[in-house]
Amino acid sequence: MGYPNEGFETRPSVMKLTLLVLANALALIAAPAGNPLLEKQPRIPFDRIRAEHVVPAVTYLLDEAQKKRDAYVANSAPRTFENTLAALEAITEDLDRATGFVNYINNVSTTPELRKAIDQTLPETSAFHSSMALDSGIYSKVREYSQTPEAKALTGARKRLLEVTLKRFRRSGVELSDANKMRLKAISVELARLSKKFADNVLDSTNAFEIVIRDEAKLAGLPESARSAARQSAKQKGIDGWRFSLQEPSYLAVSRFMDDAATREKMYRAYSTRATTGERDNRPLLARILELRRERAKLLGYKNYADLQTEERMAKSGENVRTFLGTLEQKTRGAFDAENKDLAAFRKSLEGPNAPPLAPWDITYYSEKMRKARYDLDEEALKPYFPLPSVLNGMFGLVEKLYGVKIKKIEGVALADPQVQYFEIRDTDGTLLGSFYADLFPREEKRGGAWANPLIVGGAEADGFKPHLGTINGNLTPPVGALPALLTKRDVETVFHEFGHLMSFVLLNVPVRGLSGVAWDFVELPSQIMENFTWNRECLDLFARHYQSGERIPEELYRKMMLARTYRSANSQMRQLSLGTVDLHLHTDYQGAEKDGDALDYARKILLRFSPTDLPADYAMIAGFSHIFAGGYAAGYYSYKWAEVLDADAFTRFEKEGIFSRNVGDEFRRKVLEKGNAEDPGDLFRDFMGRDPDPDALLRRNGLLPKK
């Protein structure tokens, strides 16, 4: 805070009084009374946190963190684990907790005021975290400790924490010149601002689009559930007719079922060009983000950003990722081409030999028709068996069988929205392991997609076990009228996937919080392995019951579902490979517009190689690719496929030893879920499976190789 020199009296008594008044005023600012963001509560006080709390709380916590940091560096006592590594974690604990709460609220209940407050504090918090990683004073304390007899005698998790901490400092640039450190700090601040703006633009662009249909005849092909949802959406907006948006349930229903190709095309073009115009144009942002990442990698001595990101992961290098993705592409290509020829022939069988070539907005539509014709399977026929309350109860029942935990819904808790639910997870002995919010329906003020978040990292402490706090989030089709939310099979897999992430967090049991993270290409194993259970008959019988009759899925319908499991699996795989490949190329080969042309054009050419049809000239998917430009998946999107290989292989133990085997469940919990980053992820997998991963496990599961 700055003040002009004019107007100050210079007499000692007046100056002393003035300084005393200023000191008292600053003290009030430094300790904002009644600010809920400063309270160490076990959950988020949604009912009390407001946008005006953000700046005072973050300002105060930054100041407190700086004091802890100064004291840390000034501490000349002999180095120990507690005053070095444990104390280092404590510097930002309160700040991270508060900003984590704020960022989560912004993701699920954003407002213009909250965005403004975050924008105001983001540069300072980003700069602080960046400067921490570049602080030679802190680094010297850690290095000094590493040379002590105590450090040299460390074993297990404490030894790994020391090794990881030293690597993190070096990889952050702490050993660079002061000028390069300053540049790295500036890059971090700018990247944080650009990433947030990128995400805001995607959300705003998504919400800005709608199609309202007033002629019911144009709804031909849409199932009744989609019509009812569109009617409800229109009513909520005060509109007469049926309203369709780019939110996932609405967009997918149109893409999959609507006969009117013009509407499908309009939706497709709007979705694939999100955030490319006006104030919401992400094109200059993504170009700048890529430029800054290239510069960061170069400053740190890496060939490219992918090498920087993957060095501490299972992949180890960008070239290894390239080989992994390329091998999968090569093994999938033949089936991919055959599937697409098959679909084109199917359309001609319906419309005659002069039927036009398939357009991008035709693929999902005709794929659904062919699935129904080939397997007599209507995806809508499965939805009545997947009411969300039953899916959640069955999923909870599954993990209770596997891991011995108990999950209970808790009422009377402040929530982001009335449809959000809050649960506790307790261990077999009654210990509260953690709690979580389940926020599963779309809202305009909520970001799209599905994700899981850790909010409070708990663990064993001197005064007992401190519970974790997390979330699972989605954008599923909400209840319509008296009907419960009826999910598609893919929705069920999504819920199980995100809950797998949550379980790996809530079951985390490492002795030091600094090892609570998981290697990025291993982090999807706990989530993706959960999807496998949704195909197993015994597991389905826990929850797949008709919402009216309570009957389980008929055997004939289940048989059709299983026969169709690998339907167009090569296309599904190539879609994921396309995203991983374009992400990799943007962070390895792409060198900017002057050398390689516009990033959107560059990306489109890569994506075209994996597309079943040509792509429009204005195709701009990456302008809405928040995973890599506003999330943690930059140069890491390959991890979905990497982890799929692991989960396809690891699930074979459940299949062989019993789908509800408590022995296998306990081993997976102890050897994988509880470990976090306490051990090398490759070692964790080998400890659970007794061998290295089978690289062909995924291809066999997808029907692209014969089963053993």
Side-chain angles (χ1 to χ4, degrees):
M1 185 179 292
Y3 293 93
N5 291 327
E6 294 81 11
F8 273 94
E9 297 272 1
T10 55
R11 288 173 294 173
S13 59
V14 176
M15 177 64 81
K16 184 176 181 180
L17 178 62
T18 302
L19 292 175
L20 181 61
V21 171
L22 283 174
N24 288 335
L26 288 173
L28 288 173
I29 293 173
N35 192 317
L37 287 171
L38 301 181
E39 300 170 3
K40 294 186 178 181
Q41 296 194 43
R43 59 181 72 103
I44 302 177
F46 285 102
D47 54 335
R48 295 193 293 122
I49 294 177
R50 298 187 300 276
E52 59 262 33
H53 292 131
V54 175
V55 174
V58 173
T59 301
Y60 171 73
L61 292 171
L62 275 169
D63 184 59
E64 290 297 296
Q66 184 61 53
K67 290 176 183 176
K68 293 177 187 176
R69 177 177 171 178
D70 292 341
Y72 182 97
V73 174
N75 185 355
S76 59
R79 293 290 94 199
T80 66
F81 182 90
E82 292 302 322
N83 71 13
T84 306
L85 296 178
L88 178 58
E89 290 183 9
I91 292 175
T92 61
E93 183 178 352
D94 293 340
L95 175 64
D96 292 343
R97 177 193 184 97
T99 54
F101 280 9
V102 170
N103 290 332
Y104 178 68
I105 294 172
N106 186 56
N107 278 332
V108 298
S109 301
T110 191
T111 64
E113 295 78 16
L114 184 58
R115 285 189 186 183
K116 184 177 179 181
I118 294 174
D119 288 342
Q120 188 173 339
T121 58
L122 187 60
E124 293 182 9
T125 55
S126 300
F128 183 81
H129 282 292
S130 179
S131 64
M132 280 276 294
L134 296 168
D135 192 319
S136 299
I138 295 177
Y139 181 51
S140 67
K141 298 293 183 184
V142 179
R143 282 202 306 171
E144 181 184 340
Y145 172 66
S146 71
Q147 300 305 310
T148 64
E150 178 187 300
K152 293 181 184 297
L154 289 177
T155 59
R158 288 194 167 197
K159 179 181 180 181
R160 182 167 175 83
L161 178 62
L162 176 58
E163 294 170 348
V164 167
T165 302
L166 287 168
K167 285 181 181 178
R168 283 173 181 166
F169 272 107
R170 294 179 188 127
R171 283 167 45 79
S172 295
V174 72
E175 295 176 343
L176 298 180
S177 68
D178 288 344
N180 284 342
K181 285 183 183 179
M182 289 295 292
R183 181 58 193 147
L184 282 173
K185 182 177 175 181
I187 288 172
S188 295
V189 172
E190 188 175 357
L191 280 173
R193 178 184 63 80
L194 292 172
S195 295
K196 180 182 178 298
K197 179 60 176 172
F198 188 100
D200 289 345
N201 286 345
V202 174
L203 177 62
D204 292 344
S205 181
T206 299
N207 288 337
F209 178 87
E210 67 178 15
I211 291 178
V212 177
I213 294 177
R214 293 186 170 85
D215 180 2
E216 189 169 3
K218 287 193 173 184
L219 302 180
L222 274 184
E224 184 55 40
S225 60
R227 295 183 186 216
S228 298
R231 174 71 86 176
Q232 180 171 282
S233 177
K235 285 182 178 178
Q236 290 171 347
K237 290 287 186 177
I239 298 170
D240 181 33
W242 294 264
R243 178 179 178 269
F244 299 92
S245 71
L246 296 182
Q247 290 181 340
E248 188 168 329
S250 181
Y251 177 75
L252 289 179
V254 171
S255 302
R256 180 174 290 174
F257 298 111
M258 186 172 279
D259 292 342
D260 183 32
T263 301
R264 296 200 311 269
E265 179 181 359
K266 189 173 182 180
M267 291 282 280
Y268 173 89
R269 290 187 180 277
Y271 192 86
S272 63
T273 57
R274 288 181 302 164
T276 57
T277 59
E279 295 180 354
R280 305 185 187 110
D281 191 349
N282 273 342
R283 289 175 295 180
L285 273 62
L286 67 87
R288 180 60 175 161
I289 288 171
L290 291 171
E291 180 183 3
L292 290 170
R293 288 173 179 169
R294 287 194 299 273
E295 184 182 358
R296 180 179 184 84
K298 185 176 180 180
L299 282 170
L300 292 171
Y302 291 87
K303 181 180 177 182
N304 52 57
Y305 192 73
D307 281 354
L308 169 62
Q309 290 290 84
T310 57
E311 182 185 43
E312 293 299 300
R313 299 174 180 176
M314 292 182 74
K316 304 304 180 188
S317 73
E319 279 306 306
N320 287 342
V321 173
R322 193 187 303 272
T323 299
F324 169 74
L325 294 173
T327 300
L328 272 182
E329 179 189 350
Q330 181 184 9
K331 291 182 176 182
T332 310
R333 175 66 61 184
F336 174 72
D337 292 339
E339 286 178 0
N340 294 323
K341 289 178 182 177
D342 201 19
L343 188 63
F346 174 76
R347 182 178 188 176
K348 288 184 177 181
S349 74
L350 295 179
E351 301 172 5
N354 295 323
L358 291 163
W361 47 89
D362 294 326
I363 298 298
T364 303
Y365 174 75
Y366 284 100
S367 294
E368 184 61 31
K369 281 188 172 297
M370 189 163 78
R371 183 206 312 268
K372 188 173 181 180
R374 180 161 294 176
Y375 301 101
D376 191 23
L377 177 64
D378 183 351
E379 285 283 321
E380 287 294 299
L382 283 168
K383 288 176 68 175
Y385 296 93
F386 295 136
L388 179 60
S390 295
V391 171
L392 293 179
N393 288 336
M395 182 173 67
F396 298 162
L398 170 65
V399 298
E400 288 173 359
K401 288 176 181 291
L402 294 178
Y403 310 130
V405 299
K406 295 294 181 184
I407 302 173
K408 181 181 178 181
K409 182 179 177 181
I410 305 298
E411 304 287 355
V413 175
L415 302 169
D417 184 85
Q419 290 186 308
V420 179
Q421 299 180 76
Y422 183 81
F423 298 89
E424 288 183 349
I425 303 181
R426 293 186 179 271
D427 212 343
T428 49
D429 62 358
T431 300
L432 179 61
L433 296 172
S435 306
F436 67 95
Y437 301 97
D439 187 348
L440 299 173
F441 300 123
R443 300 184 295 277
E444 288 195 358
E445 66 273 17
K446 178 182 172 185
R447 62 172 265 202
W451 74 99
N453 264 125
L455 294 172
I456 298 175
V457 178
E461 297 189 344
D463 57 349
F465 189 87
K466 180 182 177 182
H468 304 284
L469 178 67
T471 74
I472 58 170
N473 311 274
N475 283 271
L476 308 174
T477 301
V480 178
L483 288 178
L486 300 178
L487 308 187
T488 65
K489 176 61 173 60
R490 184 57 198 148
D491 288 337
V492 175
E493 292 171 41
T494 297
V495 174
F496 271 63
H497 178 106
E498 299 307 335
F499 196 67
H501 278 307
L502 182 84
M503 290 306 295
S504 72
F505 170 64
V506 173
L507 294 179
L508 185 68
N509 189 20
V510 292
V512 285
R513 288 202 188 99
L515 297 177
S516 61
V518 182
W520 204 260
D521 42 16
F522 194 72
V523 74
E524 294 296 336
L525 169 60
S527 57
Q528 291 180 176
I529 201 168
M530 285 290 290
E531 296 183 33
N532 291 272
F533 288 96
T534 69
W535 294 96
N536 178 268
R537 176 89 236 193
E538 290 179 83
C539 182
L540 283 170
D541 285 347
L542 292 177
F543 65 88
R545 304 282 176 145
H546 196 283
Y547 77 99
Q548 290 174 317
S549 67
E551 295 179 358
R552 68 178 198 163
I553 296 177
E555 193 59 36
E556 180 64 14
L557 183 56
Y558 174 72
R559 186 186 67 82
K560 292 175 183 177
M561 185 183 85
M562 292 303 294
L563 286 173
R565 180 178 183 180
T566 58
Y567 173 65
R568 290 182 62 79
S569 62
N571 267 263
S572 298
Q573 179 141 296
M574 289 294 256
R575 169 65 177 169
Q576 287 294 94
L577 291 174
S578 75
L579 299 177
T581 302
V582 77
D583 169 40
L584 179 69
H585 279 275
L586 287 171
H587 290 104
T588 54
D589 302 334
Y590 183 71
Q591 297 298 314
E594 288 189 7
K595 181 178 179 182
D596 294 316
D598 177 73
L600 265 65
D601 292 338
Y602 180 89
R604 180 184 172 278
K605 291 173 184 176
I606 294 170
L607 294 169
L608 184 60
R609 190 170 90 227
F610 300 86
S611 176
T613 69
D614 199 2
L615 295 172
D618 62 350
Y619 185 77
M621 172 266 163
I622 66 166
F625 200 0
S626 295
H627 269 72
I628 67 169
F629 290 111
Y633 284 84
Y637 203 87
Y638 75 92
S639 62
Y640 281 106
K641 277 295 159 189
W642 188 282
E644 270 195 74
V645 172
L646 301 180
D647 89 73
D649 194 10
F651 190 69
T652 60
R653 268 205 69 184
F654 289 95
E655 291 178 315
K656 291 175 182 176
E657 300 178 40
I659 203 70
F660 299 137
S661 169
R662 183 63 182 276
N663 177 59
V664 180
D666 279 342
E667 283 202 38
F668 193 68
R669 175 178 175 174
R670 288 186 292 103
K671 295 181 177 182
V672 177
L673 300 180
E674 291 184 354
K675 292 293 188 178
N677 193 28
E679 296 179 28
D680 180 89
D683 291 340
L684 297 181
F685 186 90
R686 282 185 286 273
D687 191 22
F688 177 66
M689 290 298 291
R691 56 169 173 76
D692 286 328
D694 178 355
D696 288 335
L698 175 62
L699 294 168
R700 282 195 295 272
R701 186 179 70 187
N702 288 347
L704 302 175
L705 280 179
K707 295 198 174 191
K708 284 183 176 180

